[in-house]
Amino acid sequence: MRDHLIIFDTTLRDGEQSPGASMTKEEKVRIARQLERMGVDVIEAGFPAASNGDFEAVKAVADTIKDSVVCGLARAIEADINRAGEALRGANAARIHTFIATSPIHMKNKLRMSPEQVIEQAVKAIQWARRYTDNIEFSPEDAGRSEINFLCRVLEAVIDAGAKTLNIPDTVGYTMPDQFGRLIRTLRERIPNSDKVVFSVHCHNDLGLAVANSLSAVINGARQVECTINGLGERAGNAALEEVVMAVRTRQDFFPCDTRIDTTHIVPASKLVSGITGFPVQPNKAIVGANAFAHESGIHQDGVLKHRETYEIMRAEDVGWGANKLLLGKHSGRNAFRSRLKELGIEFESEEMLNTMFVRFKDLADKKHEIFDEDLHALVSDEVQTPEEHYRLLSLIAHSETGEIPFARVVIADGNNELHAESEGSGPVDATFRAIEKILNSGAELQLFSVNNITSGTDAQGEVTVRLQKSGRIVNGHGADTDIVVASAKAYLSAFNKLYSKLEKAHPQV
Ligand code: KIV
Ligand code: ZN
């Protein structure tokens, strides 16, 4: 029998730590449902002690998900563990993931603790977490730069204290594949009680080696990989789930294990995460990039036509390309609309909300004949993305003509008030943003403006991401529309609303 390789997805926790990628509770639940559908074993839903927003999001995921274990992160301190335990109370199956740094540089400069104090705190944390669940994971942060004898001592102690999964993070993406593989093997061989736990790995991609390091660890006995959709994550990101899963699946001759992932859900998951976070997927990205299965050279095309396997090691349809179902047209009824949304894991709290969405769907169907799942996700994100949406776009006129100065006039709703402004700009989007700024006067710095087509064709909706920065706070806003200037205005307002929303985000990893 082949071993089971546990897939632990941390898109909602480490992935969310990418600057500007913070997600609302509703967005996290939608992604979690997609991960559950895909067969992810463990979903790390967030860091409950980081903020009330994170707590509520982890709780909402825990209360919704039935088929995956839901995990919450906690520093190795009682207060964090209590928050995680409380947030996970409603879960069908819960895991607490607690961590403390073990490298000399972290212990000395960040924690200001001696190695003995670190061991003591790690053990206490496991004992405390057992009040809530037996499913406890421990991570020695910065294991990749920790001293091996000390690492063995800490890990032996936390196994004795009751940890069931030992996760070895290469926190700063420093190790080389061979070296990291050897580290896992050494730990398994040297720690006397290592057979009582599952070894897991969590690799960062600073040197572009996160997937290679994770796979090297699997060859050396790791049986859980922590990863994220599209490789999202702190700095250069984490190991990409789709790459780890497809490497193991494609090379069953090489790996002694396999995952239980239904790979046909991979591309829809990638698009969902990209749409919600506003982080586009580069075209040449393995598995989920638009060019991943496109053959340009004539020789390759000819080869593939004669025999697919001459140049393809995987089938596009096996990872979910072409899986977007043609949904509904302008003649579709409310029930069909509701049931497709339900299949996508989207349910509304009120009938009123469904009605609003149905009207927006009909408007879109008038402009765009074929509506795909991605269009529906964008529509929903657009409508429900900011819980405290304050400013809304009421109308926009943007004028651009060869040889003329572009010009925009906007009307924005502020509660029951209508605010009007107009401006010129270097293009219609610039003019629109300037007009909006005349009203909002936010002084925020525009850090990113990106436009992506959601589906193909010139009638596709454009999805715009706007990243604003003010006083150290960075937020992404999104807007979707078949008119990209309108999508841009919506994205700007969405970012502004988030910037001033009371939902503070913080990641106190000290
Ligand atoms: O990169 C890291 O070390 C982490 C830990 C919290 C597992 O994210
Ligand atoms: Zn990490």
Side-chain angles (χ1 to χ4, degrees):
M1 248 274 280
R2 302 186 82 72
D3 280 2
H4 173 52
L5 179 62
I6 299 167
I7 293 296
F8 176 115
D9 181 279
T10 182
T11 307
L12 303 180
R13 198 280 295 171
D14 211 315
E16 203 202 17
Q17 286 173 216
S18 312
S22 64
M23 305 163 206
T24 63
K25 179 172 84 179
E26 289 74 16
E27 288 167 340
K28 280 196 169 191
V29 169
R30 273 165 64 204
I31 293 176
R33 282 193 160 130
Q34 175 66 17
L35 297 173
E36 179 184 42
R37 211 172 295 137
M38 194 156 69
V40 160
D41 300 285
V42 187
I43 299 173
E44 188 166 52
F47 188 172
S51 67
N52 287 337
D54 244 6
F55 177 90
E56 292 301 332
V58 174
K59 181 170 173 351
V61 172
D63 292 347
T64 308
I65 296 302
K66 298 285 167 262
D67 295 337
S68 310
V69 174
V70 180
C71 175
L73 183 69
R75 288 171 295 181
I77 52 180
E78 283 178 16
D80 274 30
I81 292 168
N82 291 343
R83 286 299 270 170
E86 281 161 32
L88 294 167
R89 205 185 293 279
N92 224 8
R95 175 182 293 187
I96 292 178
H97 175 191
T98 185
F99 71 98
I100 189 165
T102 51
S103 65
I105 187 168
H106 277 232
M107 290 190 292
K108 178 163 178 267
N109 300 301
K110 187 182 77 166
L111 297 176
R112 304 213 161 94
M113 287 169 75
S114 70
E116 295 313 315
Q117 286 172 319
V118 166
I119 297 189
E120 195 186 329
Q121 189 159 326
V123 167
K124 271 197 194 147
I126 305 295
Q127 288 163 345
W128 193 259
R130 289 181 68 177
R131 293 169 167 232
Y132 295 96
T133 174
D134 279 342
N135 193 342
I136 301 164
E137 171 169 327
F138 174 77
S139 288
E141 193 191 5
D142 204 16
R145 292 188 300 171
S146 299
E147 198 264 313
I148 185 74
N149 291 333
F150 179 61
L151 204 50
C152 288
R153 282 182 57 213
V154 178
L155 295 178
E156 184 180 346
V158 295
I159 299 173
D160 277 343
K164 294 284 186 292
T165 302
L166 294 188
N167 177 49
I168 310 302
D170 182 16
T171 303
V172 290
Y174 181 71
T175 61
M176 294 291 124
D178 214 42
Q179 180 188 20
F180 194 62
R182 260 185 285 120
L183 171 63
I184 300 303
R185 180 166 294 275
T186 308
L187 292 175
R188 289 180 54 229
E189 285 171 359
R190 284 197 27 199
I191 299 171
N193 46 5
S194 68
D195 58 327
K196 296 199 168 56
V197 287
V198 172
F199 275 82
S200 165
V201 287
H202 174 110
C203 297
H204 277 273
N205 206 29
D206 299 66
L207 294 171
L209 294 170
V211 171
N213 283 345
S214 305
L215 295 176
S216 171
V218 171
I219 289 297
N220 284 284
R223 287 294 175 265
Q224 173 176 290
V225 174
E226 301 202 353
C227 44
T228 57
I229 302 290
N230 300 336
L232 207 65
E234 186 88 49
R235 304 181 311 280
N238 290 76
L241 176 146
E242 59 278 8
E243 295 178 24
V244 171
V245 167
M246 288 314 292
V248 172
R249 183 67 50 87
T250 306
R251 294 301 308 274
Q252 281 288 286
D253 58 322
F254 191 75
F255 291 98
C257 52
D258 198 5
T259 69
R260 69 172 183 109
I261 297 293
D262 176 350
T263 60
T264 59
H265 288 291
I266 285 181
V267 169
S270 161
K271 291 190 175 178
L272 179 63
V273 169
S274 167
I276 284 178
T277 58
F279 281 52
V281 174
Q282 77 200 54
N284 58 329
K285 164 84 179 59
I287 321 289
V288 293
N291 291 351
F293 292 87
H295 299 275
E296 175 65 21
S297 118
I299 296 176
H300 286 213
Q301 286 172 354
D302 181 54
V304 169
L305 286 174
K306 286 181 175 142
H307 187 73
R308 193 185 53 79
E309 286 167 17
T310 47
Y311 285 103
E312 277 187 8
I313 57 166
M314 297 167 274
R315 296 190 315 175
E317 56 272 33
D318 289 348
V319 296
W321 281 107
N324 20 344
K325 294 196 187 94
L326 176 61
L327 179 71
L328 315 153
K330 62 179 175 180
H331 301 297
S332 310
R334 191 185 312 264
N335 278 345
F337 177 68
R338 186 205 305 263
S339 68
R340 184 62 195 148
L341 284 178
K342 203 167 172 204
E343 277 168 37
L344 292 175
I346 302 167
E347 283 175 74
F348 296 113
E349 279 164 16
S350 69
E351 200 60 20
E352 197 188 335
M353 188 65 184
L354 178 79
N355 291 343
T356 311
M357 291 309 304
F358 188 62
V359 171
R360 292 205 52 192
F361 159 70
K362 285 285 185 176
D363 284 348
L364 182 63
D366 272 340
K367 295 187 214 155
K368 185 175 186 290
H369 301 302
E370 298 177 325
I371 297 196
F372 295 92
D373 291 346
E374 290 90 335
D375 289 311
L376 279 190
H377 277 301
L379 206 66
V380 174
S381 293
D382 215 32
E383 189 63 34
V384 298
Q385 62 178 304
T386 311
E388 297 176 32
E389 189 181 54
H390 192 78
Y391 292 98
R392 270 183 311 111
L393 182 70
L394 289 180
S395 71
L396 165 65
I397 296 171
H399 183 79
S400 71
E401 187 180 337
T402 320
E404 297 292 324
I405 298 176
F407 165 85
R409 184 179 298 141
V410 294
V411 183
I412 291 174
D414 170 10
N416 290 330
N417 298 330
E418 282 189 10
L419 307 168
H420 297 243
E422 49 189 58
S423 175
E424 294 179 343
S426 60
V429 172
D430 185 47
T432 302
F433 286 4
R434 284 173 190 273
I436 295 176
E437 262 305 311
K438 275 190 182 169
I439 295 171
L440 304 179
N441 208 7
S442 75
E445 180 199 338
L446 177 67
Q447 289 200 325
L448 176 115
F449 169 70
S450 82
V451 187
N452 286 288
N453 51 330
I454 294 178
T455 54
S456 54
T458 48
D459 68 346
Q461 293 194 81
E463 186 163 53
V464 174
T465 301
V466 162
R467 184 179 301 162
L468 295 179
Q469 196 266 119
K470 178 97 195 273
S471 313
R473 187 148 188 233
I474 300 173
V475 292
N476 278 350
H478 313 293
D481 201 282
T482 49
D483 180 331
I484 60 164
V485 185
V486 172
S488 305
K490 287 182 181 173
Y492 198 96
L493 286 172
S494 130
F496 179 84
N497 284 325
K498 281 188 183 170
L499 203 53
Y500 289 94
S501 125
K502 291 192 203 75
L503 290 179
E504 285 293 329
K505 291 287 306 170
H507 298 289
Q509 294 202 18
V510 292

